[in-house]
Structure formats: structure tokens, C-alpha cells
Amino acid sequence: MVVAATGFFDGVHLGHRKVLRVLCDTALREGKRSCVISFWPHPRSVLQQQAYDLRLLNSLEEKKSLIKAIGVDDFVAIPFTKEFSRLTTREFILEYLVGRYGVSTLVIGYDHRLGSDASEPQKVMIATARELGLNVVRVKEFLIDNNVISSTKIRNMLQNTDVYGASRYLGYNYTLRGAVVSGNRFGRTIGFPTANMRLYDPLKAVPGDGVYGVYVTVNGHRYVGITNIGVRPTVASHGERTIETNIIGFDEDIYGLDLTVEFVYKIRDEVKFATVEDLKAELQRNRDEATERLEAGL
């Protein structure tokens, strides 16, 4: 038998982590395996509810890794389809939780719902689960400064360039991963070579335009860096949005290699400078500040 929690768990934020810790503790106490039963892709991408602007905090592999790192024994992702979306709470419990995965105890968050009838009050869902033989453990909400954490709030923080607040809600630095691709090499001509990143997951949420203090991991080593997200208005006219990172104290050819960027804090907005010399002077100030603030944490 299995103790399970269900949901999309985008971000695996501190609210999710509270549920997952209760999941692990309950499974240990009952002598059973803990399991997260999730689904993929996101329902909005299947049901076409504003799918064009959908951005996620985690790829599927990132989410699985974060959940397993907390101590959950098993992670499964059910393919989310239109047919699957039509299952009621009762049908989902019988077919999947009981029939397919052998769930005996269900751990739920304070506002969690199941099935196409999810608009019903949570107490109705809990009553249905208990009627079908499941023990239900309800976890209270996790608050920071009297605010309930949600994936939507974190996405909005990132869009509004508040990477510090987003990471505080997540419980870890928000991270982008991708491959280093060729750019126009302008940064190298002014003494600030940059690694231009192409994301592995195009649906990942990208922080709003600005300059950020970051940690950068490449070739197994972690460095301090500054990342610019935006259209580089001082030196480019095409308006293409890029993610470019100056890795401080590092100047090697890494085209084609993996790059991981952890966002720690916002340094400034992206602005258009009057001259390239003004840009260089500001980048030097940004680099000095990032080094001073972040190097002690390496």
C-alpha cells in the first residue's frame, strides 16, 4: 500500500514542501512507500486556456528531481489528456489512486481538489475519498508574512523582476538551464564576454528584463556572474530578447556546453546608455557589486 499526494506541484515551493514533508512522515509512520502522483503536460496547454502565455517554474525532470530530493520514494506523471480531464473525483480515486497505484492514505494541501468536479467544496472531495476507503490527511497552508504561497504568485514575481522574492517563496534560487550558443560577441570587444543561453525548456518562466546577480555553473564549477535579460538597447536594434551571462573570473570557450544560472537578486533595470563607454562603466560597477555580494556564498 502507498501514501500519496497528488497535484501539479509547479515550482515545488515551500507550500508544496510542507505537504511533501507530511507525506514522507506519514508514510514512515505507516510503514509504507511515499508517492507523488502528478501529471504532464500542464492542463492549460491541453485545454487551451490561455496556453499561449503559459510559463512553468520547472521542467518535468527538474520537478521530479526536487521532489525526490525531499525524500519522496516514488514519482509518477500521468499523461494529461482531454479524456483524463473529464474524470470525476470518484472516478479518479477508483481508477488511479486505488486501482492503479494502491493508495491507502491521501495527503492533501489546504485547497487541493481532484477531478472534473473540483469546483465542489473540499469537504465533499474528502468525504468521497473516505467513502472509497482512503484515509485523508489535510495539511494547513504555509504562510510567509501572512501570505499564502502559490505558483501563480511566484510566476508573477519573476515577471516583475523580483527574483529574490520568488526564490524566498520557492526555498531555493530560481534557476534556468540551457546550452551556450553563439552570439554577436560584442561583449568580448568591451571586456565583458558573455555566454548566450538557449533554454532547454522553452516553456520555462524567464524573469523580466533586467540585470541580475547570479551564480553560474559550467563544467561542474560554480562562479559568480551577472545576467542580462532583454533586448540590449545600447548595442542592438533588432529587438531580439536574449539571456546573456558574464561569468566573473572566467574566459573560456564554452559554446555548446550546459549552463545553469541561479538568480539571486536584481541589480538594475535594463536601460539604454548614451555611449558604449557609459555601458562599460556601468557593467564594471555591476560586476564589482555582484562579486562583493555573492562571492562569500560560493
Side-chain angles (χ1 to χ4, degrees):
M1 303 299 285
V2 169
V3 179
T6 69
F8 196 75
F9 293 99
D10 189 32
V12 194
H13 56 60
L14 291 176
H16 295 143
R17 286 164 182 264
K18 182 176 182 179
V19 172
L20 296 175
R21 285 194 296 272
V22 172
L23 169 68
C24 293
D25 290 346
T26 303
L28 182 64
R29 186 170 58 251
E30 295 185 7
K32 299 170 183 174
R33 291 187 70 81
S34 58
C35 180
V36 164
I37 299 172
S38 190
F39 37 84
W40 194 266
H42 194 281
R44 276 172 53 187
S45 67
V46 174
L47 303 177
Q48 299 179 336
Q49 297 170 349
Q50 295 180 308
Y52 63 92
D53 64 357
L54 174 66
R55 294 295 180 268
L56 300 178
L57 302 173
N58 300 136
S59 68
L60 181 58
E61 284 304 311
E62 286 172 342
K63 178 162 59 176
K64 178 180 178 180
S65 178
L66 287 165
I67 288 173
K68 297 280 280 187
I70 291 169
V72 175
D73 293 316
D74 302 307
F75 175 88
V76 295
I78 300 169
F80 191 93
T81 63
K82 289 185 177 180
E83 181 181 9
F84 177 80
S85 74
R86 290 191 283 268
L87 292 176
T88 64
T89 299
R90 179 177 294 272
E91 290 169 338
F92 177 73
I93 291 173
L94 284 173
E95 181 177 343
Y96 284 89
L97 300 190
V98 176
R100 190 169 299 190
Y101 298 112
V103 175
S104 58
T105 297
L106 180 65
V107 178
I108 62 172
Y110 77 100
D111 64 345
H112 188 57
R113 303 287 197 277
L114 292 172
S116 60
D117 48 351
S119 58
E120 292 284 351
Q122 190 185 62
K123 62 183 181 181
V124 175
M125 181 199 79
I126 293 173
T128 300
R130 287 175 173 161
E131 177 192 335
L132 296 174
L134 296 186
N135 177 39
V136 179
V137 177
R138 185 177 183 272
V139 182
K140 292 183 179 180
E141 65 268 33
F142 185 93
L143 301 176
I144 291 183
D145 301 330
N146 292 319
N147 292 316
V148 177
I149 297 172
S150 75
S151 302
T152 298
K153 287 180 180 178
I154 295 171
R155 293 188 202 105
N156 289 337
M157 285 177 167
L158 292 172
Q159 185 176 357
N160 293 323
T161 72
D162 184 10
V163 295
Y164 175 80
S167 295
R168 187 165 174 248
Y169 275 26
L170 287 167
Y172 59 90
N173 292 331
Y174 186 69
T175 301
L176 295 179
R177 295 179 175 85
V180 179
V181 297
S182 179
N184 65 5
R185 293 181 173 262
F186 174 80
R188 185 171 296 278
T189 68
I190 61 172
F192 292 86
T194 59
N196 192 5
M197 174 189 280
R198 183 181 64 224
L199 295 177
Y200 288 134
D201 187 344
L203 287 183
K204 277 276 286 189
V206 176
D209 291 357
V211 179
Y212 300 90
V214 300
Y215 292 125
V216 190
T217 300
V218 62
N219 273 340
H221 297 284
R222 194 167 182 244
Y223 304 88
V224 163
I226 56 174
T227 293
N228 184 88
I229 298 176
V231 297
R232 302 178 302 154
T234 306
V235 300
S237 59
H238 49 66
E240 180 184 357
R241 194 170 188 236
T242 61
I243 305 169
E244 293 186 295
T245 300
N246 173 238
I247 308 173
I248 298 171
F250 181 90
D251 188 15
E252 297 179 17
D253 185 357
I254 55 173
Y255 291 115
L257 297 186
D258 297 334
L259 195 72
T260 299
V261 176
E262 303 170 53
F263 291 83
V264 183
Y265 74 104
K266 180 183 177 181
I267 298 174
R268 61 173 173 84
D269 290 336
E270 184 183 50
V271 297
K272 183 174 183 177
F273 292 92
T275 68
V276 171
E277 288 303 314
D278 289 343
L279 171 61
K280 286 174 60 177
E282 181 62 24
L283 288 174
Q284 186 60 58
R285 285 190 289 269
N286 300 157
R287 189 157 65 178
D288 291 344
E289 176 190 325
T291 300
E292 182 178 350
R293 290 187 59 172
L294 299 178
E295 202 162 55
L298 281 173

Short mmCIF file of all heavy atoms in Angstrom, two decimals, residues 23 40 69 73 77 81 135 150 160 164 174 186 193-194 228 251 256 293:
data_model
loop_
_atom_site.label_atom_id
_atom_site.label_comp_id
_atom_site.label_asym_id
_atom_site.label_seq_id
_atom_site.Cartn_x
_atom_site.Cartn_y
_atom_site.Cartn_z
N LEU A 23 3.77 14.08 3.82
CA LEU A 23 3.67 12.84 3.05
C LEU A 23 4.74 11.84 3.50
O LEU A 23 4.44 10.67 3.78
CB LEU A 23 3.82 13.15 1.56
CG LEU A 23 4.00 11.95 0.62
CD1 LEU A 23 2.72 11.12 0.56
CD2 LEU A 23 4.39 12.44 -0.78
N TRP A 40 1.34 15.45 -16.60
CA TRP A 40 2.09 16.25 -17.56
C TRP A 40 1.49 16.05 -18.94
O TRP A 40 1.10 14.94 -19.25
CB TRP A 40 3.57 15.81 -17.55
CG TRP A 40 4.48 16.78 -18.25
CD1 TRP A 40 4.87 16.74 -19.56
CD2 TRP A 40 5.09 17.93 -17.69
NE1 TRP A 40 5.69 17.79 -19.84
CE2 TRP A 40 5.85 18.55 -18.71
CE3 TRP A 40 5.07 18.52 -16.42
CZ2 TRP A 40 6.58 19.70 -18.49
CZ3 TRP A 40 5.79 19.66 -16.21
CH2 TRP A 40 6.54 20.25 -17.24
N ALA A 69 14.45 14.71 -3.99
CA ALA A 69 15.46 15.22 -3.06
C ALA A 69 14.88 15.47 -1.67
O ALA A 69 15.61 15.43 -0.67
CB ALA A 69 16.09 16.50 -3.60
N ASP A 73 9.65 8.65 -2.06
CA ASP A 73 10.16 7.40 -2.66
C ASP A 73 9.91 7.33 -4.16
O ASP A 73 10.81 6.98 -4.93
CB ASP A 73 9.49 6.19 -1.98
CG ASP A 73 9.90 6.03 -0.52
OD1 ASP A 73 11.11 6.17 -0.22
OD2 ASP A 73 9.00 5.80 0.31
N ALA A 77 4.11 10.52 -13.32
CA ALA A 77 3.44 11.59 -14.05
C ALA A 77 2.44 10.96 -15.02
O ALA A 77 2.82 10.29 -15.97
CB ALA A 77 4.44 12.44 -14.80
N THR A 81 -4.62 14.41 -20.62
CA THR A 81 -5.33 14.49 -21.89
C THR A 81 -6.72 15.06 -21.65
O THR A 81 -7.18 15.18 -20.50
CB THR A 81 -5.47 13.10 -22.53
OG1 THR A 81 -6.27 12.28 -21.65
CG2 THR A 81 -4.10 12.44 -22.72
N ASN A 135 -7.74 6.91 3.82
CA ASN A 135 -7.50 7.82 4.93
C ASN A 135 -7.01 9.14 4.33
O ASN A 135 -6.19 9.14 3.41
CB ASN A 135 -6.43 7.23 5.86
CG ASN A 135 -6.09 8.17 7.00
OD1 ASN A 135 -6.97 8.82 7.57
ND2 ASN A 135 -4.81 8.25 7.34
N SER A 150 1.87 30.55 -3.65
CA SER A 150 1.30 29.84 -4.79
C SER A 150 2.24 29.94 -5.98
O SER A 150 3.04 30.88 -6.08
CB SER A 150 -0.08 30.42 -5.17
OG SER A 150 0.07 31.66 -5.82
N ASN A 160 7.84 40.31 -12.77
CA ASN A 160 8.06 41.67 -12.27
C ASN A 160 9.48 41.86 -11.75
O ASN A 160 9.73 42.84 -11.02
CB ASN A 160 7.04 41.99 -11.18
CG ASN A 160 5.63 42.08 -11.71
OD1 ASN A 160 5.40 42.57 -12.80
ND2 ASN A 160 4.66 41.58 -10.95
N TYR A 164 14.44 37.72 -5.98
CA TYR A 164 14.71 37.44 -4.57
C TYR A 164 13.44 36.94 -3.88
O TYR A 164 13.45 35.93 -3.17
CB TYR A 164 15.24 38.69 -3.86
CG TYR A 164 15.43 38.49 -2.38
CD1 TYR A 164 16.57 37.84 -1.88
CD2 TYR A 164 14.47 38.92 -1.46
CE1 TYR A 164 16.73 37.64 -0.52
CE2 TYR A 164 14.62 38.73 -0.11
CZ TYR A 164 15.76 38.09 0.37
OH TYR A 164 15.91 37.88 1.72
N TYR A 174 15.83 30.55 -7.93
CA TYR A 174 15.20 30.22 -9.21
C TYR A 174 16.28 30.02 -10.27
O TYR A 174 17.24 30.79 -10.35
CB TYR A 174 14.23 31.31 -9.66
CG TYR A 174 13.49 30.90 -10.90
CD1 TYR A 174 12.54 29.88 -10.85
CD2 TYR A 174 13.77 31.48 -12.14
CE1 TYR A 174 11.87 29.47 -11.98
CE2 TYR A 174 13.10 31.06 -13.27
CZ TYR A 174 12.16 30.06 -13.19
OH TYR A 174 11.51 29.63 -14.33
N PHE A 186 29.79 40.90 -29.06
CA PHE A 186 30.06 42.29 -28.76
C PHE A 186 30.66 42.46 -27.37
O PHE A 186 31.58 43.27 -27.17
CB PHE A 186 28.78 43.13 -28.87
CG PHE A 186 28.96 44.56 -28.44
CD1 PHE A 186 29.53 45.48 -29.30
CD2 PHE A 186 28.59 44.97 -27.17
CE1 PHE A 186 29.73 46.80 -28.90
CE2 PHE A 186 28.78 46.28 -26.76
CZ PHE A 186 29.35 47.20 -27.63
N PRO A 193 32.96 39.43 -21.89
CA PRO A 193 32.45 38.31 -22.69
C PRO A 193 31.23 37.68 -22.02
O PRO A 193 31.18 37.57 -20.80
CB PRO A 193 33.64 37.33 -22.72
CG PRO A 193 34.44 37.67 -21.51
CD PRO A 193 34.30 39.16 -21.34
N THR A 194 30.25 37.32 -22.83
CA THR A 194 29.02 36.75 -22.28
C THR A 194 28.71 35.40 -22.91
O THR A 194 29.05 35.14 -24.06
CB THR A 194 27.82 37.69 -22.51
OG1 THR A 194 27.65 37.92 -23.91
CG2 THR A 194 28.01 39.00 -21.78
N ASN A 228 22.16 39.49 -18.02
CA ASN A 228 21.26 40.48 -18.62
C ASN A 228 20.17 39.76 -19.40
O ASN A 228 20.45 38.91 -20.25
CB ASN A 228 22.03 41.41 -19.57
CG ASN A 228 21.14 42.51 -20.14
OD1 ASN A 228 21.00 43.57 -19.53
ND2 ASN A 228 20.50 42.26 -21.28
N ASP A 251 36.98 32.97 -18.61
CA ASP A 251 37.05 33.38 -20.01
C ASP A 251 37.52 32.21 -20.88
O ASP A 251 38.63 32.19 -21.39
CB ASP A 251 37.99 34.57 -20.18
CG ASP A 251 37.94 35.15 -21.59
OD1 ASP A 251 36.99 34.81 -22.33
OD2 ASP A 251 38.85 35.91 -21.96
N GLY A 256 28.21 25.43 -26.82
CA GLY A 256 27.66 24.09 -26.89
C GLY A 256 27.56 23.38 -25.56
O GLY A 256 26.93 22.32 -25.46
N ARG A 293 28.83 40.97 -3.23
CA ARG A 293 27.66 40.43 -2.55
C ARG A 293 27.56 38.91 -2.59
O ARG A 293 27.03 38.28 -1.68
CB ARG A 293 26.39 41.04 -3.15
CG ARG A 293 26.20 42.51 -2.84
CD ARG A 293 24.85 43.02 -3.29
NE ARG A 293 23.74 42.32 -2.67
CZ ARG A 293 22.47 42.69 -2.79
NH1 ARG A 293 22.16 43.77 -3.51
NH2 ARG A 293 21.50 42.01 -2.21
#
